[in-house]
Amino acid sequence: MICLRALSSSPLHLPTLRRLNLNPSSSSASALRVAASAMSSYSSSPAVAAPIEHIVLIKVRPEAAASGAAAAMVSSLQALSALVPGLAYIHAGPVLRLRSPAAEALGPTHLLHSRYAAKEDLAAYATHPAHVAAVQGHVLPNALDTTAVDWVNAAPLPSPVAPGAAVRLTLAKVKEGVEVSQLVEKVAAATKAAGEARGAKVSFGENFSPARAKGYQFGMVAVFDSVEELDAVEGDGKVEEAKAEVRPLLDEVMVLDFVAGPAGEAPTSASL
């Protein structure tokens, strides 16, 4: 497993979100601390062998975090697990830690991670009335900014997410002249060489929804059993070698961590 932190050289899949012109504001550490104490929820499901990954980063308004509107937003999104056919997995909750300058600049406070067996299932989710209602009623009124990426998992094995799992999300932009497919191939080879470090499972691939991605072309999640296991991988020799193989292809990397857990068990935000 490799995490692409610090390698840079320098649904909600909604049509309405595509039409928005949401202007990001400056990052607020106090807002992030409040957001991290909001509700985090989890819906278990069978592992999808080659899932469609859907990630949405949400920067909520500080007043929404303070008033409880952000927690209500999370609840409305998590409720979709019982309402939308084809939704294999969903987690909505606060960001635990922003782990790169690009993440700090973007300033997401919450995220949604969902999985589907096929692109058709993701498309159906996007237009499902329950999803549209959750977005229009809870996300749009409370979001300062959103970023979304989708990819087809190119890893050979699934990466199931259990309650309490710690997940590192990496989004990347490649250097000029580099094809994203080259990065995917390099990550696949480097991950295989590094092995499943500390028991992590990964999913990665090329983003196929560029309109909402703010230029990010590649996404990866690395799933660990706990935050302690995620932290322990830092400095692992094989992982560092794998990073060195990938680094020359990258222009910008955004890294953050989150924890999937039942409602009421959200982690406390670490120093950002």
Side-chain angles (χ1 to χ4, degrees):
M1 189 289 304
I2 61 174
C3 298
L4 301 182
R5 180 187 175 192
L7 294 185
S8 175
S9 59
S10 45
L12 290 98
H13 189 281
L14 238 206
T16 52
L17 286 181
R18 297 177 185 175
R19 295 194 297 269
L20 287 178
N21 182 18
L22 296 174
N23 295 318
S25 64
S26 61
S27 176
S28 169
S30 60
L32 286 169
R33 286 194 294 271
V34 172
S37 64
M39 182 189 303
S40 177
S41 48
Y42 170 87
S43 175
S44 62
S45 67
V48 181
I52 304 298
E53 303 277 10
H54 177 57
I55 297 281
V56 181
L57 304 180
I58 306 169
K59 182 176 183 177
V60 303
R61 301 178 184 277
E63 60 269 26
S67 68
M73 176 190 73
V74 168
S75 295
S76 71
L77 295 172
Q78 195 59 44
L80 298 176
S81 63
L83 300 173
V84 181
L87 181 55
Y89 164 84
I90 188 168
H91 163 80
V95 170
L96 174 63
R97 300 179 293 207
L98 303 177
R99 299 300 299 263
S100 71
E104 292 175 357
L106 190 61
T109 60
H110 291 71
L111 62 78
L112 178 140
H113 177 205
S114 56
R115 286 174 165 173
Y116 311 82
K119 289 183 179 180
E120 291 78 9
D121 293 327
L122 175 57
Y125 161 85
T127 58
H128 193 282
H131 171 252
V132 174
V135 172
Q136 293 182 344
H138 293 278
V139 179
L140 298 184
N142 296 304
L144 285 170
D145 185 51
T146 61
T147 304
V149 297
D150 304 310
W151 72 86
V152 180
N153 182 21
L157 297 173
S159 52
V161 184
V167 184
R168 175 156 292 176
L169 169 67
T170 301
L171 303 181
K173 301 176 185 178
V174 299
K175 289 183 177 179
E176 186 176 356
V178 174
E179 297 292 333
V180 182
S181 59
Q182 293 177 259
L183 175 59
V184 173
E185 292 175 3
K186 183 70 75 171
V187 169
T191 300
K192 183 178 180 180
E196 298 296 342
R198 306 287 183 178
K201 303 296 181 183
V202 299
S203 168
F204 55 86
E206 181 175 355
N207 175 42
F208 61 80
S209 298
R212 301 168 293 123
K214 294 186 172 66
Y216 288 107
Q217 302 156 295
F218 171 89
M220 180 171 75
V221 291
V223 183
F224 298 79
D225 289 340
S226 66
V227 174
E228 291 74 19
E229 289 194 4
L230 187 159
D231 290 341
V233 80
E234 297 293 340
D236 181 277
K238 290 185 177 180
V239 172
E240 293 303 317
E241 290 177 7
K243 288 180 180 180
E245 290 292 318
V246 175
R247 183 178 292 114
L249 304 179
L250 301 174
D251 180 51
E252 181 180 303
V253 180
M254 193 226 68
V255 185
L256 61 80
D257 300 334
F258 65 94
V259 174
E265 296 185 10
T268 300
S269 177
S271 173
L272 301 175

